[in-house]
Amino acid sequence: MLLKKIRGIAAVFAVCAVFTWIAGSLPHFSFARNTAAQNVRFILDAGHGNPDGGAVGADGTTEAELNLAIIRKVSELLNQKSVNHILTRTDENSIFSEGETIHAKKVSDIRNRIAIAAANPAIPVISIHMNSYPSSSVQGIQVFYGEGSEEAQKLADSLQHAMNERLQPDHTKTTKTIPKNVYFFANISNPSILIECGFVSNAEELQKLKTEEYQMQLAQIIADVLTAES
Ligand SMILES: [Zn+2]
């Protein structure tokens, strides 16, 4: 029981630590990109990207590279089903457009991601991240959704259910709402899904997350649920 509770708390506190620090530092948006496209059904968002690696595992593996590997696989699977979608980033770099410092680059990166979402209103955003926690025993996949969107909640519930059933049968995780201090999600109105695919701070889970096979299992579940529900 205690462990279950700890897991829940970990997921909430660890979620997207990356984007919370920036809250309040972006008083104005300049929508640098207009990437509105035709018949887009999903926006796939791989969290972080150079120069922001996100959470880092003990062996130096960055969250950014894992997020991208998984999102690319989801993208391939959606392409196979001719499901139109856009990616916020397609390579190892974040999508910063200005700034000399890492902080400034992070700010413009988030502005650009917000602009992509704004240019494609009402299109669900599926964001992939990895978790990290001081206690290395904490592990597992946690799905979050943006509060107030029935569509997002339904998708998140289906994703969490499928993840539990197919990848973590010992877990009884249920979906949670995305904390309000996560800047990116607080500034978009799209139905929002955040999938924390695992803890890079857990050695066993990190080893799994680094394999093509496990990445494909995660991607397959995501693609299956997205195409079943939409
Ligand atoms: Zn992250």
Side-chain angles (χ1 to χ4, degrees), residues 14-19 47-48 54-55 63 67 128-131 194 196:
V15 62
C16 276
V18 50
F19 289 146
H48 312 274
E63 176 190 353
N67 295 340
I128 299 289
H129 281 259
M130 301 292 150
N131 238 323
L194 165 62
E196 296 278 351

Side-chain angles (χ1 to χ4, degrees), residues 53-66 130-132 136 199-211 215:
V56 182
D59 65 356
T61 303
T62 65
E63 176 190 353
E65 60 192 279
L66 297 174
M130 301 292 150
N131 238 323
S132 182
S136 61
F199 286 77
V200 297
S201 45
N202 179 283
E204 193 187 337
E205 192 157 53
L206 176 60
Q207 287 313 308
K208 276 198 299 186
L209 287 163
K210 285 165 63 178
T211 66
Q215 290 169 4

